[in-house]
Amino acid sequence: LLQSVSALCKREGTAVLWATHLLDEAEMADSLTLLDKGRVLFSGSHAAFVQQGGGGGFQDVAMRMLGVAGAV
């Protein structure tokens, strides 16, 4: 579904606000905003997210930003 929506957006030149708790879906976004308990922890590009989060894999960065115990 996400690939179909992405293709439609590119073809039509439009945008979609996609809210998800699934990190593999979020990782595919052109830009993202990470929220925790109503607070914006990050808003920007995928590259900026990884850089601001200390590098590494997308999911590792998200876990660190969220303060998840045992995050790499």
Side-chain angles (χ1 to χ4, degrees):
L1 178 62
L2 187 55
Q3 290 174 340
S4 295
V5 171
S6 179
L8 177 66
C9 288
K10 287 177 182 168
R11 186 174 65 243
E12 299 296 325
T14 189
V16 170
L17 174 63
W18 189 278
T20 184
H21 67 282
L22 302 173
L23 292 177
D24 59 329
E25 288 183 359
E27 189 170 8
M28 297 173 63
D30 294 327
S31 65
L32 57 104
T33 299
L34 180 65
L35 301 171
D36 184 42
K37 299 177 184 145
R39 291 181 316 134
V40 175
L41 300 181
F42 175 83
S43 187
S45 71
H46 179 276
F49 177 74
V50 172
Q51 181 180 17
Q52 183 176 325
F58 182 87
Q59 293 189 12
D60 294 334
V61 170
M63 295 295 106
R64 280 197 302 271
M65 284 190 171
L66 292 167
V68 173
V72 178

